[in-house]
Amino acid sequence: MPQDTLTITDNRTGQTYTFPVENGTIRAMDLRKIKTGPEDFGLMTYDPAFMNTASCKSAITYIDGDKGILRYRGYPIEVLAEHCTYLEVAYLILFGELPTSAQLKDWVFDITHHTMLHETTKKFMEGFRYNAHPMVMLVSTVAALSNVYPDSKKIDDPATRLLQIKRLIGKTPSIAAMSYRHLGGFPYVYPDNDLTYTENFMNMLWRMVEPKYVANPVISRALDILFILHADHEQNCSTNAMRAVGSSHTDPYLATSAAAAALSGPLHGGANEEVLKMLHEIGSKENVAAYVKKIKEGKGKLMGFGHRVYKNYDPRAKIIKRVADEVFAVTGKNPLIDIALELERIALQDDYFVSRKLYPNVDFYSGIIYEAMKFPIDMFPVLFAIGRTPGWLAQWQEMLLDKEQRIARPRQIFFGPSKRDYVPIEKRS
Ligand SMILES: CC(C)(COP(=O)(O)OP(=O)(O)OC[C@H]1O[C@@H](n2cnc3c(N)ncnc32)[C@H](O)[C@@H]1OP(=O)(O)O)[C@@H](O)C(=O)NCCC(=O)NCCS
């Protein structure tokens, strides 16, 4: 018997089956061969929330959740956050290699020259209510770009795909900044091609009457690092949405909009928003112990703690903690950091959190930095979406080029009633 195999005996029939084991997995479709008779559909696996199912093969991001390792295309996140710009990392994620200087120059030029939004898109955004949630504006406006760029339907053409990828990476910050200005009631600011990606984002967010916006280099680098940390995270909820929606061969704007919608939930990209609400609710360091006690009694969750994959310290949270100090040197300290540090200290000594391997995740500290930069809480998931856009697009393209992938369509175990007779309304009790 070859070693890399799994032998299963079906006790219902006494039959034995042997299946290959490849990369620590068996093919779920092999299980279909296990049948009790010719009428039997075959064995399936039941895996709500994909707890133990690999939905794809991917060469983009590697995570070892037990060791707290995150790598994009083989490069540790710590190294990328230290040495690269966000657009350099976006290139790496999309093309698999770090760019040469000439490639980077062209890439930055191309992204920079796709930051403008069509005037009708601007008008579309102006139609939102004065207090519209910026994440809702982002989700809807990215979807609306599908109308502006009907060529995006040609998903089989590599050049067309690349053009949409550049447009999406270029335009997401413009949409995000416009949604921010909308919230504040300020006129929209057009992109400035003299600035870097992040400086230009800051220009579109914060420029008032000055003729030329000058970005604070510490803040622009901090945002760049935050975008790098969010750029990809393998098969998370929003990436799974991107792949699933993209698998129906819809265009990348609609698929990205679906991914952003998935990101907006409080258990995913909305978590940093929840962290801030929680820290404000706790109010001061002295109240931390009582709050932790409440959580242990089952009254809510410690937001920004725990992760489906990381059962160790989230490596991104470590980097963010360092960035926080640099940002506070410019903005002044956000007092919430003291509450957060105390919360982390108490939780990491407590058996409840230790035994469940609950550590701070990326969202635990990112919100505190964003707040120090004067972003309203509603903008937090939008900032996450800007960073994650290259990851979504790389995963989307990888899915399209994967010959094994087809339209994503899980199975179910039907639990409803069997066939019933129709009862006319006057006879129903
Ligand atoms: C991220 C998250 C959704 C992962 O969920 P998951 O992998 O399904 O983990 P589970 O919900 O099965 O949690 C396992 C156990 O830890 C507990 N737990 C998980 N996260 C917790 C938290 N943040 N605070 C308190 N307890 C938590 C669960 O209640 C469960 O306890 P039990 O075994 O006694 O029932 C979850 O940890 C969470 O909701 N965290 C807070 C939200 C957050 O920060 N999200 C951002 C993710 S980047």
Side-chain angles (χ1 to χ4, degrees):
M1 191 69 69
Q3 223 188 344
D4 290 338
T5 56
L6 175 75
T7 299
I8 299 174
T9 303
D10 185 349
N11 294 326
R12 299 171 302 173
T13 59
Q15 274 211 51
T16 294
Y17 304 80
T18 298
F19 302 127
V21 175
E22 197 193 341
N23 304 311
T25 54
I26 56 160
R27 295 221 162 223
M29 280 305 282
D30 278 345
L31 298 177
R32 286 275 275 285
K33 294 171 193 153
I34 304 180
K35 295 180 180 211
T36 51
E39 296 296 301
D40 188 354
F41 181 75
L43 204 66
M44 295 193 300
T45 54
Y46 175 55
D47 188 12
F50 299 118
M51 293 294 283
N52 195 37
T53 295
S55 62
C56 62
K57 288 181 178 167
S58 180
I60 302 170
T61 292
Y62 173 77
I63 300 175
D64 183 329
D66 289 328
K67 297 200 182 112
I69 292 174
L70 169 61
R71 293 181 203 137
Y72 299 153
R73 304 280 189 186
Y75 294 98
I77 189 71
E78 296 79 4
V79 175
L80 296 172
E82 175 84 31
H83 299 289
C84 295
T85 62
Y86 168 66
L87 283 188
E88 206 175 341
V89 172
Y91 185 100
L92 168 72
I93 288 177
L94 281 152
F95 300 102
E97 297 296 336
L98 282 167
T100 62
S101 355
Q103 285 167 331
L104 183 61
K105 197 163 162 257
D106 288 350
W107 175 242
V108 171
F109 180 91
D110 287 353
I111 301 291
T112 307
H113 288 79
H114 282 296
T115 48
M116 280 285 278
L117 293 172
H118 198 279
E119 280 300 291
T120 55
T121 304
K122 186 177 152 212
K123 289 207 179 89
F124 174 83
M125 294 190 74
E126 282 166 354
F128 280 91
R129 209 160 170 255
Y130 66 92
N131 60 351
H133 195 294
M135 193 60 178
V136 178
M137 289 182 77
L138 180 90
V139 168
S140 320
T141 310
V142 169
L145 292 183
S146 167
N147 273 331
V148 184
Y149 304 109
D151 55 331
S152 64
K153 307 273 176 253
K154 288 188 262 162
I155 56 156
D156 292 329
D157 175 35
T160 308
R161 276 202 308 269
L162 182 57
L163 177 59
Q164 315 316 320
I165 287 171
K166 288 175 184 168
R167 281 176 172 152
L168 268 159
I169 296 174
K171 288 175 207 308
T172 313
S174 309
I175 298 172
M178 283 194 179
S179 66
Y180 172 84
R181 304 283 293 198
H182 188 88
L183 195 65
F186 296 115
Y188 298 166
V189 176
Y190 288 97
D192 179 343
N193 285 357
D194 291 341
L195 303 176
T196 67
Y197 186 82
T198 317
E199 287 170 347
N200 174 48
F201 179 48
M202 292 167 68
N203 158 65
M204 293 187 290
L205 288 167
W206 293 317
R207 187 173 145 216
M208 285 302 172
V209 290
E210 64 273 39
K212 187 92 180 164
Y213 183 79
V214 182
N216 181 301
V218 174
I219 304 293
S220 80
R221 180 62 191 150
L223 276 173
D224 221 43
I225 293 175
L226 283 156
F227 291 156
I228 291 173
L229 300 183
H230 287 89
D232 195 52
H233 213 229
E234 52 122 301
Q235 305 312 311
N236 55 85
C237 177
S238 56
T239 301
N240 183 54
M242 181 86 194
R243 280 180 173 262
V245 174
S247 77
S248 75
H249 288 185
T250 187
D251 70 62
Y253 298 103
L254 295 175
T256 303
S257 163
L263 182 70
S264 70
L267 296 186
H268 191 9
N272 50 12
E273 194 171 335
E274 298 302 314
V275 172
L276 264 244
K277 284 184 199 153
M278 176 186 75
L279 294 175
H280 280 293
E281 189 193 325
I282 296 173
S284 82
K285 255 171 88 169
E286 291 67 44
N287 300 334
V288 167
Y291 193 85
V292 169
K293 187 166 169 278
K294 231 175 63 179
I295 300 287
K296 283 164 59 182
E297 286 162 1
K299 295 180 190 139
K301 278 187 174 173
L302 206 52
M303 299 313 288
F305 261 69
H307 199 275
R308 172 60 58 79
V309 178
Y310 292 117
K311 302 300 168 195
N312 199 324
Y313 213 102
D314 183 335
R316 301 168 300 172
K318 267 190 212 152
I319 301 168
I320 291 188
K321 251 169 118 174
R322 175 177 57 75
V323 172
D325 289 334
E326 290 163 15
V327 169
F328 296 160
V330 176
T331 61
K333 190 164 117 180
N334 184 340
L336 294 182
I337 188 79
D338 290 333
I339 304 175
L341 288 169
E342 180 68 357
L343 200 53
E344 178 183 327
R345 191 186 67 78
I346 293 189
L348 294 188
Q349 286 174 2
D350 193 300
D351 187 55
Y352 177 95
F353 297 93
V354 175
S355 63
R356 288 172 177 78
K357 299 187 176 170
L358 300 170
Y359 293 88
N361 60 46
V362 67
D363 296 306
F364 192 63
Y365 288 106
S366 61
I368 303 173
I369 302 184
Y370 293 145
E371 195 181 65
M373 290 177 180
K374 304 272 182 296
F375 281 109
I377 283 179
D378 286 353
M379 276 300 286
F380 295 1
V382 175
L383 297 166
F384 192 153
I386 297 174
R388 185 53 58 86
T389 300
W392 286 332
L393 292 164
Q395 300 268 355
W396 166 72
Q397 187 153 252
E398 188 176 58
M399 178 272 304
L400 288 178
L401 297 178
D402 183 344
K403 297 264 183 301
E404 281 195 295
Q405 292 291 342
R406 296 155 79 174
I407 187 163
R409 206 303 188 181
R411 294 278 171 182
Q412 66 166 11
I413 301 172
F414 182 67
F415 235 67
S418 53
K419 187 167 177 275
R420 298 199 278 181
D421 291 329
Y422 174 77
V423 181
I425 194 160
E426 57 287 359
K427 293 201 177 147
R428 289 176 213 159
S429 55

